[in-house]
Amino acid sequence: MDPLYLRSASTSLVISFDSGEAEVIHWGADLGASLPDLAILGGPVPHSAVDEAIPAGLLPQASSSWQGRPALRGHRIADGVPGHDFSVRLRVADVSADGAGPVRNSAVIVQADADAGISVASSLRLHDGGLLELRHTVTNTGNSPFQLDELATVLPVAPDAVELLDLTGRWCRERHPQRRTIQQGTWVRTGRHGRTGHDASLLFAAGTAGFGNRHGKVWATHLAWSGNHEQFADSVADGRTMIGGSELLGPAEIVLAPGGSYATPALFAAYSDRGLDGVSEAFYAWFRNRPHHVLPGAAGHGAGAGKPRPVVLNTWEAVYFDHNLTTLIELADSAAELGVERFVLDDGWFRGRRDDHAGLGDWYVDEALWPDGLAPLIEAVTSRGMEFGLWVEPEMVNLDSDVVRAHPEWIAGPSAQSYKNGGRLPLEWRHQHILDLVNPDAWQYIYDRVDALLRENNISYLKWDQNRDLLEHGHAGRASVHAQTLAAYRLFDELRKAHPGVEIESCSSGGARVDLGILERTDRIWGSDCNDALERQTIQHWTGLVVPPELVGGHIGPTTSHTTARTHDLSFRAITALFGHFGMEWDIRQVQGAEREELKRFIRLYKEHRGLIHSGRMVRADVPDDALMLHGVVADVAAGDGAAPGSTAALFALVSTRTSFSEQPGRVAIPGLPPETNYRVEAVFPAPGDADYAHTFTQVQPPAWLASGAEASGRFLAEVGVPMPILNPEHAVLLKVTTVGS
């Protein structure tokens, strides 16, 4: 059988069938229009080993003598006795690929073991931007139940991938990097939160030694799943390394009846020979080619398709639970005067909700607070030209709520009985428990309540929160994170279908549910509950490896952060928020005088440049001084041609995170611009006369270009750079790059 060859955007995937199973023999650099005779890849057979070459299968399996982590683990329960068919021997039964000719973009490979009664169909698609999408579906073709313990999606990486990068974190410090050398054995990142998790690795990347933002080869994967999961690198003694991921299934969560099937979450994988920025380009291309994506001007049918990301005001850090119509209308007046386009009422509007101890699950407008409903506030907001948004947390309940008093059996937990009938509940988290969405009555109740809110009120946006882990999560006494995750997905899907004009934000204690599974159902994520700009620089940097900025909420918080107690100038907070979906979470009524004018200016800057920020190429420089960060967005104009002189080609932020070892930063390269085009670089903010100017810089004399701008080619800027000003720690300067005549 001829090999399967998928090729797109400088990436190739080659699968051989010579061993009888599907074997990935190359995933990485583009191999051109044709392949050589693959016999060239036949390797030696060592002493004291299996007497033939061992394939690195698309589904690694012990029946081929693979000694690493197998893709499929499970067993058949025959005549009530478990443990049968523990090792399957899958062999290719069918291959179908799209199009004609030797190079394809997608295929389905079916491998089966008739004796064991197991069949696995593998779907592969290499998208136009080079992102590979891979998933498996296992079917029980036998005549007795088969308990599935794991079905993983894996891919091999090249021998020169010697370093591993993944991400970890905690609440208010999500997505921070960690690196290690790849060694023999298995490195596993396990998520047992019942949701993606604050410490989840959004990206699992193997690369050449010292790979960085703009250099080195990188092979990276992401598992599109919002429940329990594992991501891993598996390096066996013969020198081969596989990376991949799987849903982490609970005890007997998946028992396939005869004819039953289970589909894995999609594994998305990207290869780059240009460092991590190349990986981001592949993910961004996939996001922005979706028909429902929110990219400004894009054709599509989603709630946000074809419209700019509006400036947001969220009320949480302005009023918390203190909901008062007069205060909120004052906030709306202040927001409209600043140029806000979306006003979001956060937690505290529903029955019994005066703090976080009560009310969750009772999704009725509190008549005591809102005797005329939300209509007066909604009318005040919309009459001032803003959209109205509302906070909800549909998957959670407080014990002190009408819904739990009526239906204690709707709380998920390890016991088959409700807690009122002697059942044991998981420990509380933020005084709340999880509503069992696997229970059809509970699911229908939540659907009906949110649907009624959207039908009865002019609501354009839902901030959908999920404020706790799903620990000891069960339905009817059995583990059910898998079923709960699918039920939550269905809730999103059905509400979106019923209300296609409503956008949904995924918030989960901030950034604890950030993955491509939830992002297929939502229009933005809340990157973190932390609005501290210093913390946000790192959080947004690493979130942006996979998720484009138009999908990541970034807000200006109060001068002193309520999660860290750090105090920052407005310019630092605003420049940080600018490179995302921009907004504010702040009592803006108190912002007056020069500071208010500065805030207005940033809102205007965002509106002027959001089309660029939300459609351009993300560029992150490799700055030798680790006290500095340089990142920005470059207009996606082919080869730099066609950009009119004076048009904005890029926005960059130079950020100082702490004091530097050096007296001055020296020349800093500005990469990512077409090399033969000439550009003008100038500081946009802060500039002389701005309120934050004196706080931002610590220098007797700035570089000459800072006041008047500098002109150079893209090649010069990337190879030589320009001398940068001396920034005080925890400050930033916004740079604009425009094209000039040749």
Side-chain angles (χ1 to χ4, degrees):
M1 184 183 296
D2 291 337
L4 176 66
Y5 185 20
L6 306 184
R7 182 184 181 218
S8 176
S10 302
T11 298
S12 290
L13 177 77
V14 182
I15 296 179
S16 170
F17 306 106
D18 290 347
S19 66
E21 65 178 287
E23 179 183 7
V24 180
I25 59 173
H26 174 78
W27 166 50
D30 183 23
L31 299 179
S34 61
L35 297 174
D37 181 353
L38 296 184
I40 193 174
L41 297 178
V45 176
H47 284 293
S48 189
V50 177
D51 292 336
E52 56 185 76
I54 300 172
L58 183 64
L59 293 157
Q61 48 192 330
S63 60
S64 297
S65 296
W66 181 257
Q67 294 174 324
R69 181 173 172 140
L72 189 151
R73 291 188 300 108
H75 58 94
R76 187 170 299 284
I77 305 167
D79 298 323
V81 179
H84 296 272
D85 296 326
F86 67 93
S87 178
V88 298
R89 185 176 183 273
L90 296 168
R91 291 298 180 262
V92 175
D94 183 65
V95 178
S96 58
D98 69 329
V103 180
R104 312 297 181 92
N105 293 113
S106 65
V108 176
I109 301 169
V110 178
Q111 300 182 85
D113 181 345
D115 293 334
I118 292 294
S119 173
V120 180
S122 302
S123 171
L124 305 97
R125 181 174 178 83
L126 191 56
H127 293 275
D128 289 345
L131 189 67
L132 176 65
E133 182 178 355
L134 169 63
R135 70 182 81 223
H136 305 303
T137 301
V138 59
T139 300
N140 179 9
T141 60
N143 54 16
S144 59
F146 186 89
Q147 178 173 314
L148 181 70
D149 296 324
E150 181 181 37
L151 181 55
T153 42
V154 300
L155 290 163
V157 298
D160 53 347
V162 296
E163 288 185 5
L164 194 66
L165 179 144
D166 57 8
L167 307 176
T168 188
R170 58 170 173 80
W171 178 70
C172 283
R173 198 179 187 272
E174 297 89 341
R175 287 173 293 286
H176 278 56
Q178 55 185 15
R179 283 186 186 248
R180 68 189 303 271
T181 301
I182 293 177
Q183 298 174 310
Q184 282 189 20
T186 306
W187 172 253
V188 182
R189 292 295 312 282
T190 301
R192 301 180 186 274
H193 303 280
R195 54 179 175 172
T196 320
H198 289 104
D199 62 350
S201 185
L202 181 68
L203 197 77
F204 208 81
T208 50
F211 70 90
N213 293 319
R214 305 285 299 172
H215 67 276
K217 298 178 183 178
V218 185
W219 294 259
T221 60
H222 168 87
L223 189 70
W225 182 244
S226 307
N228 290 338
H229 63 279
E230 288 190 334
Q231 293 170 276
F232 55 85
D234 190 25
S235 187
V236 296
D238 65 13
R240 289 181 287 185
T241 298
M242 313 285 273
I243 62 173
S246 64
E247 180 183 3
L248 180 62
L249 296 170
E253 271 200 283
I254 303 296
V255 178
L256 300 176
S261 296
Y262 163 85
T264 69
L267 184 80
F268 287 89
Y271 166 76
S272 166
D273 61 2
R274 296 169 288 110
L276 292 166
D277 277 3
V279 170
S280 295
E281 286 184 24
F283 276 98
Y284 286 20
W286 178 83
F287 272 109
R288 290 170 174 171
N289 282 327
R290 300 179 305 165
H292 57 284
H293 190 62
V294 297
L295 184 63
H301 52 74
K307 80 177 196 179
R309 303 290 75 219
V311 177
V312 175
L313 176 72
N314 184 283
T315 66
W316 179 244
E317 291 189 37
V319 300
Y320 297 100
F321 288 107
D322 185 16
H323 284 203
N324 174 280
L325 181 59
T326 300
T327 299
L328 290 167
I329 290 178
E330 288 175 0
L331 269 175
D333 282 333
S334 185
E337 195 270 337
L338 285 171
V340 169
E341 298 161 312
R342 175 179 286 162
F343 182 99
V344 181
L345 181 66
D346 212 286
D347 193 0
W349 56 268
F350 48 98
R351 281 183 188 165
R353 191 67 166 176
R354 299 298 179 270
D355 54 36
D356 62 359
H357 289 69
L360 276 180
D362 296 343
W363 300 110
Y364 296 85
V365 178
D366 192 315
E367 299 89 346
L369 277 177
W370 305 94
D372 298 314
L374 293 174
L377 178 61
I378 294 174
E379 171 60 26
V381 167
T382 56
S383 67
R384 287 158 176 79
M386 296 179 289
E387 297 177 354
F388 180 80
L390 191 67
W391 180 95
V392 292
E393 192 174 3
E395 298 159 77
M396 303 294 161
V397 290
N398 292 124
L399 291 186
D400 185 2
S401 64
D402 292 341
V403 68
V404 168
R405 283 185 281 273
H407 296 284
E409 73 278 8
W410 286 1
I411 299 178
S415 301
Q417 297 81 28
S418 78
Y419 78 100
K420 287 193 173 179
N421 290 325
R424 180 169 60 84
L425 290 179
L427 294 176
E428 285 196 334
W429 179 313
R430 205 190 176 202
H431 317 294
Q432 63 191 50
H433 290 277
I434 303 103
L435 190 75
D436 183 9
L437 294 178
V438 183
N439 183 314
D441 294 332
W443 187 97
Q444 193 63 51
Y445 164 78
I446 290 297
Y447 174 86
D448 290 344
R449 289 310 314 139
V450 179
D451 175 62
L453 283 168
L454 295 175
R455 282 189 290 102
E456 295 166 4
N457 298 280
N458 184 13
I459 297 170
S460 302
Y461 181 83
L462 287 179
K463 179 181 178 182
W464 186 307
D465 216 334
Q466 182 207 33
N467 272 311
R468 65 156 293 166
D469 282 1
L470 281 63
L471 304 176
E472 286 197 302
H473 188 86
H475 167 76
R478 297 185 59 192
S480 63
V481 170
H482 171 80
Q484 178 83 2
T485 306
L486 293 181
Y489 283 172
R490 186 165 64 91
L491 189 58
F492 280 99
D493 293 342
E494 292 302 316
L495 285 167
R496 286 179 68 94
K497 189 185 302 181
H499 304 277
V502 175
E503 292 187 35
I504 301 177
E505 173 185 57
S506 172
C507 177
S508 184
S509 314
R513 186 158 63 178
V514 176
D515 60 79
L516 270 64
I518 201 66
L519 277 164
E520 269 296 270
R521 297 162 168 87
T522 55
D523 301 288
R524 115 173 181 160
I525 55 160
W526 185 226
S528 176
D529 276 345
C530 184
N531 279 323
D532 178 324
L534 181 63
E535 295 292 340
R536 273 288 186 143
Q537 282 289 333
T538 301
I539 292 167
Q540 291 176 190
H541 173 106
W542 294 100
T543 302
L545 274 183
V546 169
V547 186
E550 62 267 28
L551 299 180
V552 183
H555 290 179
I556 303 172
T559 305
T560 299
S561 167
H562 88 145
T563 58
T564 66
R566 282 197 190 102
T567 297
H568 289 127
D569 286 348
L570 175 57
S571 63
F572 186 53
R573 286 141 55 215
I575 290 171
T576 301
L578 192 67
F579 290 89
H581 182 185
F582 179 90
M584 290 158 286
E585 198 156 329
W586 187 14
D587 188 352
I588 53 174
R589 297 174 302 165
Q590 310 305 317
V591 184
Q592 298 297 330
E595 189 178 38
R596 190 170 184 88
E597 293 307 308
E598 187 174 313
L599 180 56
K600 286 181 181 179
R601 187 169 163 197
F602 269 110
I603 291 171
R604 291 194 299 269
L605 275 171
Y606 171 74
K607 290 180 179 180
E608 178 185 355
H609 296 297
R610 58 186 163 189
L612 165 63
I613 296 168
H614 297 160
S615 65
R617 289 182 292 107
M618 183 66 71
V619 173
R620 306 171 189 90
D622 292 300
V623 182
D625 186 345
D626 62 5
L628 291 176
M629 300 170 65
L630 180 76
H631 66 86
V633 181
V634 175
D636 196 9
V637 179
D641 297 326
S647 62
T648 302
L651 281 179
F652 283 94
L654 179 71
V655 180
S656 172
T657 58
R658 59 183 181 275
T659 56
S660 174
F661 181 81
S662 302
E663 258 187 345
Q664 55 178 297
R667 291 194 298 263
V668 174
I670 302 176
L673 295 159
E676 305 308 323
T677 302
N678 292 323
Y679 297 98
R680 179 179 183 81
V681 182
E682 56 190 323
V684 176
F685 210 101
D690 291 329
D692 292 348
Y693 187 83
H695 299 162
T696 298
F697 305 107
T698 177
Q699 53 197 10
V700 174
Q701 178 177 316
W705 69 269
L706 193 66
S708 57
E711 293 185 5
S713 69
R715 188 181 305 279
F716 186 94
L717 292 172
E719 299 297 335
V720 179
V722 294
M724 289 296 178
I726 304 171
L727 293 174
N728 281 321
E730 300 177 27
H731 284 79
V733 59
L734 183 66
L735 307 176
K736 182 169 76 169
V737 180
T738 54
T739 55
V740 298
S742 53

